[in-house]
Amino acid sequence: MGFALGLMRGANAAVVGILGAALYHPVFTSAILGPQEFALALTGFLLLSVWKLPAWAVVIILAAGGILITL
């Protein structure tokens, strides 16, 4: 059981690494152009992970933030 659990944890870590790399290059490097965008992305992460807001609420908040950044 311990060996199989170790294999599953290793596979999960590999998948997380691949997804992180896939999101970093096309998404992060083309969307985060300055400190304002980085702050907006960090805010969205905190709203989802720390404060556990529903995804639809975070989308509305970040859309409003994006509009404010462009003005």
Side-chain angles (χ1 to χ4, degrees):
M1 176 120 159
F3 181 71
L5 185 60
L7 286 175
M8 288 299 295
R9 287 184 180 167
N12 286 339
V15 169
V16 168
I18 290 170
L19 288 175
L23 286 174
Y24 173 76
H25 180 63
V27 176
F28 190 84
T29 58
S30 64
I32 308 297
L33 303 174
Q36 294 171 330
E37 289 91 358
F38 183 76
L40 193 62
L42 182 62
T43 301
F45 176 75
L46 291 174
L47 289 173
L48 284 171
S49 63
V50 176
W51 291 300
K52 310 267 191 249
L53 262 65
W56 62 266
V58 175
V59 168
I60 292 171
I61 292 167
L62 293 184
I67 291 170
L68 288 174
I69 286 175
T70 60
L71 295 178

